[in-house]
Amino acid sequence: MPQDDRHSGNVILLRVACITLLIALVEAWCLVGTHVMQLPIALEVFKDPDKLLSSHLDFLMMTMLLLGFYGAHVPLPAYVRWPIAIGAIGNPTAFLIEAVLPGVHHPAIGLFTMTSITLTTIGFGLAAIKVFRSSLR
């Protein structure tokens, strides 16, 4: 049996979910360093610890969404899978950038953020439509 059949073609969602969960776990320890222990090095790196918390929660949310769509076993086309995968890492990373560089308004950061939000919206929106339509058959 080909690997794609076993994963309904969505193995990228599972792989990215593992990556986003691992990043969220690392960020949890960074949050301990900033919020709980108030470590000077952690506070120096993460100048806006609240944005670090937003990134951590967003990575966890993306993990759950990815696992949910993977677990639905509805084959998703590449034009849906890839925007989901890219956006699931990009969106929380935008918060992480704000945690490290608060108040920096560079055009490249704005372009990155808007591209990520757009890809995520398109990918997850199309996935929701595809899964919903498959439930009606």
Side-chain angles (χ1 to χ4, degrees), residues 30 34 39-49 52 96-102:
C30 294
T34 57
L39 295 175
I41 186 76
L43 293 168
E44 181 63 30
V45 171
F46 302 107
K47 294 171 180 58
D48 188 345
L52 176 61
L96 186 58
I97 291 168
E98 288 183 50
V100 175
L101 302 169

Side-chain angles (χ1 to χ4, degrees), residues 27-39 42 52:
E27 285 184 333
W29 281 103
C30 294
L31 284 164
V32 169
T34 57
H35 280 84
V36 178
M37 300 178 74
Q38 303 271 318
L39 295 175
L52 176 61

Side-chain angles (χ1 to χ4, degrees), residues 26-86:
V26 169
E27 285 184 333
W29 281 103
C30 294
L31 284 164
V32 169
T34 57
H35 280 84
V36 178
M37 300 178 74
Q38 303 271 318
L39 295 175
I41 186 76
L43 293 168
E44 181 63 30
V45 171
F46 302 107
K47 294 171 180 58
D48 188 345
D50 290 337
K51 292 294 183 181
L52 176 61
L53 178 59
S54 295
S55 177
H56 170 71
L57 294 173
D58 205 15
F59 271 118
L60 290 174
M61 182 183 67
M62 292 298 176
T63 300
M64 291 182 285
L65 288 168
L66 289 163
L67 291 174
F69 280 111
Y70 175 79
H73 297 291
V74 174
L76 299 173
Y79 67 84
V80 174
R81 289 189 309 258
W82 284 103
I84 288 173
I86 294 166

Side-chain angles (χ1 to χ4, degrees), residues 5-41:
D5 290 342
R6 185 174 51 142
H7 298 286
S8 300
N10 298 334
V11 70
I12 187 69
L13 303 182
L14 181 62
R15 291 174 181 162
V16 173
C18 292
I19 292 167
T20 56
L21 180 58
L22 290 170
I23 294 169
L25 290 170
V26 169
E27 285 184 333
W29 281 103
C30 294
L31 284 164
V32 169
T34 57
H35 280 84
V36 178
M37 300 178 74
Q38 303 271 318
L39 295 175
I41 186 76

Side-chain angles (χ1 to χ4, degrees), residues 62 65-66 69 80 83-85 87-88 119-129:
M62 292 298 176
L65 288 168
L66 289 163
F69 280 111
V80 174
I84 288 173
L119 285 172
T120 305
T121 302
I122 291 168
F124 280 109
L126 288 173
I129 291 167

